[in-house]
Amino acid sequence: MNPCPIIPAPRSYRRCDGFFLLPSGGNVVHLLKKEIDPAILGEESYRLAVTPEAIRLAASTSCGLFRGFQTLKQLVFLAKDGRLPCVVIEDSPRFAVRSFLIDSARHMQSVDEILRMIDGAALLKMNRLHWHVSDDQGFRIESERFPLLNTVGSYRDGDTFGGEIKTGRTGGYYTKDEVRQIVRYAASKYMEVVPEFDMPGHVSAILAAYPELSCRGGPYSVQTGGGIFPDLLCAGKSAVLDWIKSFLEEMLELFPSRVIHIGGDEAPKGQWYTCEDCLRLMRDRGMKNAEELQQYFTMEVCEYLHSKGRRAIVWNDSLKAGALPPQITVQYWLGSKKTTLAHIAGGGSVIASEMGYMYADYPFFMTPLWKTYSYDPFPSHPEAVLGVETTLWTEYIAAEARLHEMAFPRIAAAAEVGWTEKKHKNYPSFVRNMKRLLPLLASMGIHAAPAEDWSGCSPRALREMSVFLKRTADGKTVERQRQNMKEEKRLAQIQGFSE
Ligand code: ACM
Ligand code: ZN
């Protein structure tokens, strides 16, 4: 049997005798015989049969036909001398969700660039763009109800990421029309855009615009560098929750996704222990600590989303006070898996994006491609894994060329982790296939990291590692987080709460 050249590797691939002769130019769209076959189970499943006489693609849904067409596109691209090898491919995904995150808060991308990333990811059968559009360093979506989010929250006064100082006001936001264009374009590729509005932490940009949403009243400014900042949305003021609901109501009009990501990561709670409103609510409700206040806050926002027919996703940090209802999906990225496993035990499901494997912003030296490829999320509970995600945080990814190199081929590795059954995965085959697909990606305007970098040991990969080390050498982020935690503990004790 010839090895399968497709990424992600399909469930079943059989090379048959003979070839289908391609028309000159290779365009097979008008020759393709498409069929809806209800017997093919699964929304994304398809069967592709190439014989010397015809190319037949069958699925029970138009989404399945689209996924199958991505396979055909790769086969046609790889065909030599106008001869398409005869094959029978029967295929369906391992996990329902194959997601990639683009962080447009730290650095924005042009609309064209986002559409290009969607193209590349769709070719690899990814089906979700997790769009991180709000963080300490900028708020990126047009709001008519809360215009200061744009006039104030979308701009920052220079850049200090990794100690590299750039002066001048920088930023911007996507207009509602642009957001609709991106959502529509993704939908045309059977890809859902799930926005993330991170809360109660990572909100400096929101607080710069509306400081009354904080515990202290501000003033705040949009952050110019990376890190974890102590300013949170106040969980004790009912007016803040009212604001969040009104804000989400406006955003839900733009994003039709079944789920909305509400963040919940990295929220140091020192300020909640110094806020009369937060303390009153904690005491009135007999909460043991501020983690329980975050749990209350998360539940309020999730219940609002449920009332609007949506579901929520939260980062696993949101589980520190104990389980959340199983309707809420947890995205695991870092830390003990105990709370996430308890969520699974309670019937909940998980998106898996473990930092050491799936974070695409780390140099290949730290996370070589084979490591991403080898990711096996929650192996003792595969039934609870809704999907996997690779993340492109952009503190250090300002240029579009750099975005491509960090995203590809990692998105391809993530696609195979998410789509391909474990027993059909094979890293040497994946690498061989990936190298052959690079010119196809390049023809789509996507310039992936060169193959010699993937193991992390090329001279260029080593140089990138040394740049990364220089950026993080001052240890400021780690130190700031240590201080945040120390302060939180101290204030909790003063107020008579145990952390
Ligand atoms: C995260 O990387 N802070 C979710
Ligand atoms: Zn407060």
Side-chain angles (χ1 to χ4, degrees):
M1 194 177 85
N2 286 26
C4 173
I6 300 303
I7 295 180
R11 188 171 292 269
S12 152
Y13 169 91
R14 191 155 48 87
R15 172 76 169 92
C16 308
D17 289 341
F19 295 88
F20 178 90
L21 298 183
L22 293 167
S24 61
N27 188 347
V28 292
V29 173
H30 59 292
L31 296 172
L32 182 61
K33 295 186 179 356
K34 285 199 269 186
E35 182 198 352
I36 292 290
D37 179 353
I40 297 177
L41 300 180
E43 200 192 339
E44 297 187 284
S45 309
Y46 67 91
R47 184 180 59 240
L48 176 67
V50 179
T51 64
E53 294 76 35
I55 306 172
R56 291 196 165 79
L57 179 57
S60 60
T61 66
S62 50
C63 173
L65 290 175
F66 181 84
R67 299 285 180 253
F69 191 70
Q70 304 317 301
T71 294
L72 180 60
K73 229 162 132 174
Q74 294 187 23
L75 288 173
V76 169
F77 177 77
L78 297 168
K80 291 208 173 73
D81 307 322
R83 298 187 322 160
L84 188 63
C86 292
V87 290
V88 176
I89 294 175
E90 286 172 309
D91 203 4
S92 53
R94 181 177 183 211
F95 296 122
V97 173
R98 287 93 49 207
S99 178
F100 65 109
L101 177 149
I102 298 182
D103 170 8
S104 297
R106 275 55 176 262
H107 285 100
M108 258 183 105
Q109 303 77 28
S110 68
V111 172
D112 278 352
E113 187 50 33
I114 291 179
L115 301 187
R116 219 179 345 260
M117 297 289 289
I118 289 172
D119 282 341
L123 175 72
L124 300 160
K125 303 190 179 74
M126 300 296 269
N127 63 0
R128 179 176 290 179
L129 163 59
H130 170 178
W131 198 12
H132 189 80
V133 288
S134 174
D135 213 303
D136 296 300
Q137 299 81 3
F139 182 85
R140 300 288 173 231
I141 305 291
E142 180 183 4
S143 170
E144 287 160 287
R145 281 193 196 176
F146 303 107
L148 296 180
L149 285 175
N150 301 129
T151 51
V152 176
S154 295
Y155 294 90
R156 61 176 180 254
D157 214 358
D159 275 14
T160 56
F161 291 102
E164 287 165 28
I165 311 247
K166 285 191 209 146
T167 53
R169 190 169 183 257
T170 174
Y173 58 92
Y174 301 95
T175 65
K176 289 193 170 182
D177 279 346
E178 288 172 332
V179 173
R180 288 191 194 100
Q181 182 191 355
I182 288 168
V183 168
R184 242 190 343 260
Y185 189 76
S188 76
K189 297 185 180 263
Y190 297 89
M191 187 183 288
E192 200 167 31
V193 178
V194 173
E196 180 184 351
F197 303 103
D198 205 343
M199 59 180 91
H202 285 285
V203 289
S204 301
I206 295 175
L207 295 184
Y210 295 98
E212 63 273 25
L213 301 174
S214 70
C215 291
R216 301 181 167 188
Y220 301 98
S221 48
V222 182
Q223 298 292 344
T224 59
I228 298 170
F229 301 94
D231 306 309
L232 306 187
L233 291 167
C234 177
K237 296 180 183 62
S238 59
V240 175
L241 277 164
D242 292 343
W243 186 95
I244 292 169
K245 290 171 191 174
S246 175
F247 159 77
L248 284 175
E249 186 176 47
E250 185 183 15
M251 294 297 124
L252 293 184
E253 282 170 17
L254 280 176
F255 293 99
S257 55
R258 291 162 295 178
V259 290
I260 303 290
H261 205 307
I262 56 164
D265 58 322
E266 298 179 320
K269 313 223 168 32
Q271 291 189 1
W272 282 359
Y273 285 118
T274 61
C275 167
E276 266 176 34
D277 299 304
C278 287
L279 287 167
R280 186 178 318 113
L281 189 68
M282 285 164 70
R283 293 197 170 112
D284 286 354
R285 292 183 177 248
M287 294 177 189
K288 285 202 289 294
N289 55 39
E291 295 301 347
E292 292 195 354
L293 184 55
Q294 179 166 355
Q295 187 184 48
Y296 158 87
F297 174 90
T298 305
M299 282 305 304
E300 284 285 315
V301 179
C302 290
E303 276 167 16
Y304 174 74
L305 289 173
H306 290 181
S307 77
K308 296 286 174 188
R310 311 294 183 99
R311 294 283 164 99
I313 305 179
V314 296
W315 296 108
N316 64 295
D317 315 41
S318 308
L319 298 174
K320 284 186 188 153
L324 289 167
Q327 295 83 346
I328 299 170
T329 297
V330 167
Q331 181 162 4
Y332 175 80
W333 70 287
L334 185 67
S336 164
K337 294 197 178 77
K338 239 163 111 180
T339 53
T340 305
L341 287 167
H343 178 72
I344 289 172
S349 53
V350 175
I351 305 277
S353 56
E354 189 162 347
M355 191 167 130
Y357 295 83
M358 301 302 269
Y359 271 38
D361 51 325
Y362 286 106
F364 281 111
F365 184 86
M366 285 173 77
T367 311
L369 191 60
W370 62 261
K371 192 168 177 209
T372 302
Y373 187 83
S374 74
Y375 188 41
D376 187 9
F378 294 90
S380 51
H381 301 279
E383 73 294 344
V385 177
L386 197 58
V388 296
E389 179 175 297
T390 183
T391 57
L392 277 156
W393 302 105
T394 59
E395 282 94 334
Y396 305 122
I397 305 180
E400 294 184 345
R402 184 84 190 128
L403 186 75
H404 290 188
E405 289 186 348
M406 298 309 276
F408 294 92
R410 274 195 177 115
I411 287 181
E416 199 146 318
V417 170
W419 181 279
T420 304
E421 287 298 327
K422 269 198 287 190
K423 61 175 185 270
H424 297 310
K425 281 173 68 192
N426 177 303
Y427 186 64
S429 300
F430 170 78
V431 168
R432 185 198 58 228
N433 294 344
M434 192 66 234
K435 287 180 183 168
R436 289 187 191 154
L437 275 189
L438 291 180
L440 176 56
L441 287 171
S443 74
M444 297 160 68
I446 294 170
H447 300 282
E452 60 270 24
D453 289 1
W454 301 349
S455 66
C457 297
S458 68
R460 205 174 81 111
L462 293 173
R463 270 198 307 279
E464 284 185 356
M465 185 63 210
S466 86
V467 170
F468 178 87
L469 286 174
K470 268 190 216 124
R471 281 180 181 143
T472 50
D474 64 7
K476 264 195 192 146
T477 300
V478 175
E479 177 53 22
R480 200 179 301 154
Q481 175 65 340
R482 215 174 60 80
Q483 289 300 336
N484 285 337
M485 284 161 68
K486 221 168 113 185
E487 183 65 355
E488 181 177 329
K489 219 176 192 140
R490 189 181 71 80
L491 292 165
Q493 273 168 4
I494 289 174
Q495 296 297 343
F497 292 96
S498 62
E499 274 290 284

